[in-house]
Amino acid sequence: MEYTGIQLSAMTALAVLASGSDGNIDKKELEVISHHLHAFVQDEEKIKNLLAAALLIKFEDAAKIVKDMNYEQKRHFAAFIGVIILADGTISDDELEYWKALSAATNLPHMTIRDAANIFVNNMVGNQNSTSYVNSNGSGGKNFGCLIWIVVIAIVIIFVA
């Protein structure tokens, strides 16, 4: 799976909003976001630029960028948001409402939290050799996975979902 820099920035911006949708940005949620970004981009300077763009992008603009992504990209993104909601071990109504509103605004595929965790794990590990970040000149790095988070997510699936 490939994403442009602006797509990664939009995804990151919306993911941070998901993290704070329950009124508390948890360290575990931010770690999932950070690991996700690092799975697509290994160059720290590029990551800083993507984060800077993510901080400046408006919700409406980020949602439009995601809405224009292909089905597989949207499916992965929807799963990513579901995993962020799972990361702190508590699923609030506010988080689910954000996910529902974001899904409607961006035409994300519908899925359960359990589906999201399974899809995310499969995308981040099962396809780690085919997932990459592609910047404007077509270069980018391969995804080396988020193995620690996969274990955490698996545990959460078993005990929470």
Side-chain angles (χ1 to χ4, degrees), residues 16-81:
V16 170
L17 290 173
S19 174
S21 64
D22 63 355
N24 178 40
I25 297 177
D26 188 271
K27 180 181 176 184
K28 293 174 188 170
E29 294 166 335
L30 291 178
E31 287 175 357
V32 170
I33 295 167
S34 175
H35 286 290
H36 183 263
L37 190 53
H38 279 86
F40 291 95
V41 183
Q42 286 75 51
D43 182 286
E44 289 300 320
E45 197 58 37
K46 287 180 183 176
I47 288 175
K48 288 178 187 177
N49 292 335
L50 292 173
L51 288 172
L55 292 173
L56 297 174
I57 194 166
K58 295 178 184 175
F59 174 87
E60 295 79 16
D61 296 332
K64 167 104 173 73
I65 291 165
V66 170
K67 187 175 184 173
D68 291 341
M69 293 188 318
N70 68 44
Y71 177 81
E72 285 303 316
Q73 290 172 319
K74 287 182 188 182
R75 185 172 179 264
H76 171 83
F77 176 69
F80 173 47
I81 296 299

Side-chain angles (χ1 to χ4, degrees), residues 144-161:
F144 295 104
C146 303
L147 297 178
I148 293 171
W149 278 106
I150 289 160
V151 172
V152 171
I153 293 164
I155 291 168
V156 171
I157 290 171
I158 293 167
F159 293 106
V160 176

Side-chain angles (χ1 to χ4, degrees), residues 12 18 27 32 34 39 48 60 88 99 116 120-121 129-130 137 149:
T12 301
K27 180 181 176 184
V32 170
S34 175
K48 288 178 187 177
E60 295 79 16
D88 65 1
W99 194 23
F120 189 76
V121 168
N129 292 327
S130 63
N137 66 10
W149 278 106

Side-chain angles (χ1 to χ4, degrees), residues 92-109:
S92 75
D93 289 340
D94 291 333
E95 288 171 321
L96 293 176
E97 283 301 316
Y98 175 82
W99 194 23
K100 182 179 175 182
L102 179 62
S103 294
T106 58
N107 293 331
L108 296 180

